Amino acid sequence: MAINYSKLFNRRATPQSQAIPGSGQVRNSAGGYSWEVTDWQRLDRFLILGAEGGTYYIGERDLVKQNHDAIIRCIKENGARVVDRIVEISDSGRAPKNDPAIFALALVTTHGDVAAKTKAFANLSKVCRIGTHLFHFAGYVNAMRGWGRGLRNAVGNWYNAQEPRELALQAIKYQQRDGWSHGDLLRLAHPKEVSREHAAIFRWMLSGQDELGERTVKRKVNCAERTATYAAVGELPALIQAFEQAKAAKGKGEILKLITESNLPREAVPTEWLNDAEVWDALLQKMPMTAMIRNLGKMTSVGLLKPMSAAAKLVVAKLSDQTALKRARVHPMAVLIAEKIYAQGRGDKGSLSWSPVQPIIDALDEAFYATFSNVEPCGKPVLLALDVSGSMGMAKIAGSCLSAREASAAMSLITAATEPDYVIVGFSAAANGHGGQWGGGEPGITPVNISPKMRLAEVVKEIEKIPMGGTDCALPMVWARRQKVNVSGFVTYTDSETWAGNIHPSQALRNYRDQFAADAKAVVVGMTSNDFTIADPKDRGMLDVVGFDTTAPAVIADFIRSD
């Protein structure tokens, strides 16, 4: 019997369990074949998505190790470029969490050349903007290297570069994290104070905090601990004095006066007063945006936020201030998580519960859209394809309570809210490829009845109705060709762990182009920080972007719109 060579070497329709001949594809974690992203692409994925929690196929430790190795290769190639990218993504608030950027910066200070290390130290304050960030950085570098002069100077400059009022706020708001205190860092860095006020704050950090028992863990460092003493000059800022008075306050009136007159943050208020609605009302008046979003459940549980209350109206007004949202670097995922938790009326941890106030839920929903960069519609028909396979249900975005499945649906709503002509579908494959979802019905495609007018809880319910199956990222293109749907852009939200189909996504796209639209484009929105993409790097009509990057929707629209 003659061999049918076209079945063995077919560049137009290759099963995903095999590599496209001559393509350079690699085996992915699910057993299928995809393209390997470059180390620089992986750097972006890590900076925005992190590796917390791992994925369905890759454990957290292995995923961190893979990203760690890719980042080091980038540092060895061009450490200064790595620093620029870290600062760009961190300083603009494009990532849900800042920890990946801090970790990557610590890697540069360890593995970079002299120029790269110098640049990393010079940009420390742009990445580590608050005390908690600095403590995380100290923990990372302490595990990687010793405390040389460059590192000590960088940490010392972090303290001296801040105005006394801001430094005082850092001192009382972020007193200790991960076993590190400001006193620990001052002893290691031993900065020369730039003013009498700085000297007074340093002295308080070194002695006042320790004597008051704020530092409970003694951090061992891999170098000789240095002593730091500062002359008894300069008066403590009013904020620190108010903090000390609050700890000794006997009545609520004293606490309210200190909050109102000295603008004490929540962290400076003794715990026994944090179940009082009046205290929270005083805090709310000047509460920073991120702190307010994080404490909505608590303020509702103590009775401050109620329907038609002045406090609820103030919260809604603050959430509606788009300028303030952007200035505070509020990431859309932070709003999304807050909306999900607040609407369910209980925290994911602990026993705290409350009755949600509907206008606040509505305001959070509107704030979600406002936190993305301005998007100009592409004005062309777009198919938004959500990978609802099993692996997407297991992976968590940046270690949050949101699965990649839920997050991709939320991200698709940004494009849906912008574009006049779109359709949203969910896809997963039965074991037999395109034979149907669980043996019957549509070929792995389920139209998703969601719109930007729906709340997140409603969207999640619709997504949860779709059965999970294997991953076949070619299904959207195959379905569009079979249904004769005119599409200018396919936007696929996936982890690229595709394996179940009889044709690769890039091949299905070319077949669609041949039959319907020669200029049809495809955007792959990577929802995990793994090593794979279904976007053919040699196809100029395919693009790989990072999920939950605040600039992603604008990049997607611009790519589909452009010639």
Side-chain angles (χ1 to χ4, degrees):
M1 181 177 178
I3 297 175
N4 187 340
Y5 289 100
S6 65
K7 290 185 178 181
L8 299 177
F9 196 84
N10 191 337
R11 294 177 60 87
R12 294 185 62 84
T14 309
Q16 292 178 34
S17 58
Q18 303 172 20
I20 299 173
S23 66
Q25 287 184 317
V26 298
R27 190 176 180 87
N28 61 38
S29 303
Y33 283 82
S34 309
W35 279 276
E36 194 171 26
V37 296
T38 67
D39 287 337
W40 293 97
Q41 287 175 305
R42 189 146 198 190
L43 172 65
D44 278 5
R45 287 189 178 186
F46 177 75
L47 291 175
I48 292 169
L49 296 172
E52 191 176 350
T55 70
Y56 179 76
Y57 297 103
I58 312 171
E60 181 178 77
R61 182 181 294 274
D62 289 339
L63 190 60
V64 171
K65 179 64 165 60
Q66 291 175 15
N67 280 282
H68 166 276
D69 294 348
I71 295 169
I72 289 179
R73 289 193 294 269
C74 290
I75 293 170
K76 296 298 184 183
E77 180 182 336
N78 191 335
R81 178 183 170 189
V82 173
V83 175
D84 286 339
R85 196 60 174 158
I86 293 170
V87 172
E88 179 186 350
I89 290 176
S90 175
D91 194 41
S92 61
R94 287 170 55 183
K97 291 186 176 181
N98 200 39
D99 277 356
I102 298 169
F103 178 72
L105 193 71
L107 287 176
V108 177
T109 68
T110 304
H111 299 282
D113 57 23
V114 173
K117 289 180 179 179
T118 301
K119 191 165 192 174
F121 290 142
N123 285 279
L124 178 62
S125 61
K126 289 186 178 180
V127 178
C128 299
R129 293 178 291 274
I130 61 175
T132 295
H133 296 165
L134 188 64
F135 295 146
H136 288 333
F137 177 78
Y140 293 145
V141 296
N142 195 60
M144 297 177 188
R145 48 161 291 166
W147 283 71
R149 180 180 298 176
L151 178 57
R152 295 198 308 271
N153 288 342
V155 172
N157 291 339
W158 188 92
Y159 286 97
N160 273 323
Q162 300 193 51
E163 293 297 324
R165 176 65 174 77
E166 178 59 29
L167 183 58
L169 179 62
Q170 295 291 325
I172 66 172
K173 190 170 183 178
Y174 311 104
Q175 298 170 49
Q176 179 189 3
R177 296 291 189 279
D178 300 335
W180 288 90
S181 74
H182 291 293
D184 291 326
L185 294 182
L186 289 176
R187 289 186 183 91
L188 286 167
H190 198 184
K192 174 67 176 177
E193 70 277 11
V194 294
S195 72
R196 291 166 57 88
E197 290 83 0
H198 281 78
I201 298 171
F202 290 171
R203 188 178 68 253
W204 182 80
M205 288 175 172
L206 285 162
S207 59
Q209 282 184 289
D210 293 352
E211 291 172 2
L212 292 164
E214 297 296 339
R215 186 163 58 90
T216 58
V217 179
K218 180 79 169 178
R219 169 63 65 177
K220 293 181 179 179
V221 296
N222 54 1
C223 66
E225 186 169 313
R226 294 168 175 80
T227 59
T229 57
Y230 296 92
V233 295
E235 185 179 18
L236 281 173
L239 186 61
I240 293 180
Q241 294 186 43
F243 172 54
E244 295 287 5
Q245 292 169 27
K247 288 187 289 187
K250 301 300 182 183
K252 183 168 63 176
E254 293 179 67
I255 293 293
L256 295 175
K257 183 178 180 181
L258 289 168
I259 293 172
T260 303
E261 296 183 355
S262 300
N263 196 23
L264 279 183
R266 179 194 62 80
E267 292 82 356
V269 176
T271 306
E272 60 265 27
W273 298 110
L274 291 179
N275 284 316
D276 188 284
E278 286 187 76
V279 170
W280 277 103
D281 191 29
L283 289 168
L284 175 62
Q285 303 310 309
K286 296 182 180 179
M287 188 179 291
M289 185 72 74
T290 52
M292 183 189 75
I293 292 173
R294 193 166 53 244
N295 286 290
L296 289 174
K298 179 65 175 181
M299 289 189 288
T300 306
S301 71
V302 300
L304 175 62
L305 301 181
K306 296 181 289 189
M308 296 184 289
S309 67
K313 292 176 182 177
L314 177 58
V315 167
V316 170
K318 287 189 173 189
L319 289 172
S320 302
D321 188 340
Q322 296 187 20
T323 301
L325 286 167
K326 289 183 174 10
R327 187 169 56 244
R329 295 186 181 89
V330 176
H331 193 274
M333 199 181 83
V335 181
L336 200 59
I337 293 170
E339 181 182 351
K340 177 181 179 179
I341 293 176
Y342 186 74
Q344 72 188 18
R346 55 177 175 77
D348 281 348
K349 299 178 181 179
S351 58
L352 191 67
S353 62
W354 56 86
S355 297
V357 178
Q358 188 60 45
I360 293 178
I361 298 175
D362 296 340
L364 284 167
D365 192 75
E366 292 175 9
F368 170 69
Y369 294 97
T371 49
F372 280 95
S373 300
N374 293 332
V375 184
E376 181 183 345
C378 70
K380 297 180 178 182
V382 178
L383 187 149
L384 304 172
L386 313 181
D387 179 354
V388 294
S389 62
S391 60
M392 289 286 284
M394 296 295 291
K396 299 295 182 182
I397 298 296
S400 72
C401 61
L402 288 175
S403 69
R405 206 174 188 233
E406 295 169 335
S408 62
M411 271 212 73
S412 71
L413 294 180
I414 301 299
T415 298
T418 307
E419 300 298 337
D421 192 7
Y422 71 90
V423 62
I424 302 178
V425 299
F427 68 90
S428 61
N432 296 324
H434 302 300
Q437 178 64 51
W438 308 117
E442 291 285 354
I445 288 287
T446 304
V448 182
N449 186 28
I450 63 176
S451 78
K453 296 180 180 179
M454 298 170 66
R455 297 292 175 259
L456 175 64
E458 299 175 275
V459 172
V460 170
K461 284 182 181 179
E462 289 297 320
I463 295 299
E464 288 176 343
K465 292 178 183 177
I466 306 172
M468 290 189 287
T471 308
D472 180 0
C473 291
L475 282 171
M477 296 81 165
V478 172
W479 177 80
R481 182 170 61 83
R482 287 180 176 176
Q483 300 297 320
K484 297 180 172 57
V485 177
N486 181 30
V487 175
S488 293
F490 294 90
V491 184
T492 304
Y493 303 83
T494 180
D495 56 8
S496 291
E497 300 281 16
T498 189
W499 59 272
N502 296 322
I503 185 173
H504 280 266
S506 59
Q507 296 172 325
L509 176 63
R510 292 189 188 100
N511 292 346
Y512 180 85
R513 288 169 174 165
D514 290 344
Q515 188 168 347
F516 288 99
D519 61 348
K521 296 179 180 178
V523 181
V524 181
V525 186
M527 300 303 292
T528 61
S529 61
N530 63 10
D531 205 17
F532 310 107
T533 179
I534 59 172
D536 184 348
K538 296 180 181 179
D539 188 333
R540 296 180 62 185
M542 298 189 80
L543 176 69
D544 184 274
V545 300
V546 183
F548 259 100
D549 182 343
T550 56
T551 66
V555 171
I556 292 169
D558 184 62
F559 179 71
I560 297 173
R561 184 192 315 111
S562 66
D563 295 328

